[in-house]
Amino acid sequence: MDASEVAHRRLANQRLSGPPLPDPVAVVRHLGAVQAQEYAMAKWSLAQRSAGDDAALQRVVDDGAVIRTHALRPTWHFVVPEDLRWVQALTAPRVRAFNRYYERQTGIDDDEATRATAAMAHALRGGNHLTRAEVAAALATAGIEASGVRLAYLTMRAELDVVVVNGVRRGKQHTYALADERVPDGLGLVGDDALVELVRRFVASHGPVTVKDAAWWSSLTLTQVRHALRLLGTEVASEVVGGLEYWFVPAPAPVPEPSPTVHVLQGYDEYTVAYTEGRVVTNIAGRVIVPENTNQVIQPLVLDSQVIGWWRRVAERDRIVAEPHLAVDLTPAQDSAMRAAFDRYSTFAGLPIVVE
């Protein structure tokens, strides 16, 4: 196995190449969790691996078939309802520990967080789906000041405790709902069973991966990841590529996509965001994609498994403008492949797209 094969295996395992999954719910279940920080574009990540337009993806989330909440790391993720409780039980303690510094900076202690969670549960009970502003008002009524960063960390604590999840979107506003009214009990995995299942899911859907990749994605410790890999036994295998040990589910190497194939990704797509040290295989040539020391999240353009640039999305009233910034000169065939990828995004978004 070489670095190119690692990248092509990831494309296939993540279902960016090869047969798509039947629906967005199957995508989230397969991947284990999908980062959903930039909501509009996060829905595109699910559609790329299955089918459906933006309106169809919104119905999936509104119906509660996919939950959007803070999980795994201190950011938004999509998870399927049956996975939510055991994933949070396994990983939330580490996330809460990470958040404590920021909670202290805003004057949040455990007592206030507990009172805030109880106040939110009371306000949401009975099928009430409240906007962020309405949650803040309910907390104010309970004598808890909550705005800005303070409100964000109080609601995140309630999400990590599986008291609060997303509700039905009201116009363009997201809402919160009571988890007990929206999420079933789920799989009930605990201890090593939960640990093994999460690592199994990550290796199968994101592999080949390094131990550090798995720890970054899951918020588990390196020790926990190694323990899970030992328990998985012959279900997984590893090879050293470029000085790094990559773990994967043994299977024949996938047939690479027809060249050229371009994928227009969002900034937090799992193909790039799920890896730390293992990210090198998506830029084998070592191209400078953005100027060094630039502190920005890019929306990658991927050509034949390799990141060759990024694109800026400008949403206008009746169209979307896409501005590609390329680190390579495209051949006519590659340029056509890029435009075809933007056309697929246009179909999803339901708006014409202009590539400038």
Side-chain angles (χ1 to χ4, degrees):
M1 188 183 302
D2 60 12
S4 178
E5 183 179 328
V6 172
H8 282 289
R9 281 180 179 265
R10 286 182 183 174
L11 279 176
N13 288 334
Q14 287 211 20
R15 299 304 181 95
L16 282 169
S17 69
L21 289 163
D23 55 56
V25 180
V27 174
V28 179
R29 183 179 293 114
H30 171 67
L31 293 173
V34 177
Q35 190 160 332
Q37 187 168 341
E38 297 292 337
Y39 181 64
M41 296 303 293
K43 289 182 287 183
W44 165 236
S45 283
L46 302 187
Q48 282 180 289
R49 294 162 166 87
S50 56
D53 59 13
D54 183 79
L57 267 292
Q58 184 58 52
R59 286 193 294 273
V60 167
V61 179
D62 282 344
D63 291 344
V66 165
I67 298 297
R68 180 175 181 258
T69 191
H70 283 86
L72 293 186
R73 302 183 295 279
T75 191
W76 294 99
H77 280 80
F78 290 131
V79 294
V80 292
E82 65 265 27
D83 288 340
L84 178 62
R85 296 181 188 278
W86 69 264
V87 167
Q88 293 287 43
L90 176 65
T91 63
R94 294 263 299 168
V95 180
R96 283 195 292 264
F98 179 86
N99 284 351
R100 285 193 185 281
Y101 170 81
Y102 299 96
E103 289 176 350
R104 286 196 297 269
Q105 298 302 304
T106 56
I108 298 171
D109 58 24
D110 286 342
D111 177 67
E112 184 173 43
T114 298
R115 290 191 296 111
T117 297
M120 282 184 260
H122 177 76
L124 295 169
R125 189 166 291 115
N128 291 327
H129 291 200
L130 302 181
T131 66
R132 184 181 176 88
E134 289 167 343
V135 169
L139 291 175
T141 299
I144 301 168
E145 190 281 320
S147 61
V149 174
R150 222 169 176 277
L151 177 60
Y153 278 96
L154 287 171
T155 53
M156 193 189 307
R157 175 76 78 95
E159 290 173 297
L160 294 170
D161 290 343
V162 199
V163 174
V164 169
V165 295
N166 73 287
V168 176
R169 194 166 68 166
R170 192 190 306 166
K172 293 185 177 180
Q173 294 190 76
H174 296 280
T175 68
Y176 293 93
L178 192 63
D180 283 347
E181 296 178 348
R182 195 161 168 82
V183 181
D185 289 341
L187 297 180
L189 298 173
V190 297
D192 280 351
D193 290 339
L195 175 64
V196 167
E197 178 60 23
L198 189 61
V199 174
R200 175 191 287 118
R201 203 93 62 97
F202 181 65
V203 174
S205 62
H206 292 71
V209 299
T210 70
V211 170
K212 285 186 178 180
D213 292 335
W216 149 254
W217 179 84
S218 64
S219 291
L220 298 171
T221 66
L222 297 175
T223 299
Q224 286 176 301
V225 173
R226 294 188 182 105
H227 178 57
L229 291 171
R230 285 193 297 271
L231 292 176
L232 283 166
T234 57
E235 285 189 50
V236 295
S238 69
E239 284 192 28
V240 175
V241 178
L244 296 176
E245 184 177 22
Y246 289 93
W247 291 85
F248 56 95
V249 173
V255 177
E257 300 169 291
S259 182
T261 296
V262 171
H263 297 283
V264 171
L265 302 183
Q266 62 125 338
Y268 297 100
D269 190 271
E270 293 291 313
Y271 186 66
T272 53
V273 79
Y275 311 92
T276 50
E277 64 180 359
R279 193 177 299 173
V280 64
V281 300
T282 61
N283 187 6
I284 297 170
R287 298 184 180 97
V288 178
I289 304 301
V290 294
E292 293 184 12
N293 301 320
T294 299
N295 184 22
Q296 71 178 74
V297 175
I298 65 166
Q299 299 197 128
L301 292 168
V302 174
L303 169 65
D304 298 339
S305 85
Q306 297 298 294
V307 177
I308 58 158
W310 60 281
W311 66 287
R312 181 169 176 257
R313 173 182 174 271
V314 181
E316 299 183 351
R317 185 176 63 84
D318 55 357
R319 68 175 189 170
I320 295 172
V321 176
E323 301 175 355
H325 298 261
L326 299 168
V328 299
D329 294 324
L330 299 183
T331 67
Q334 291 168 342
D335 183 76
S336 294
M338 180 184 70
R339 293 176 184 276
F342 278 118
D343 285 343
R344 290 192 292 273
Y345 174 64
S346 173
T347 299
F348 162 79
L351 289 170
I353 193 163
V354 177
V355 181
E356 294 184 350

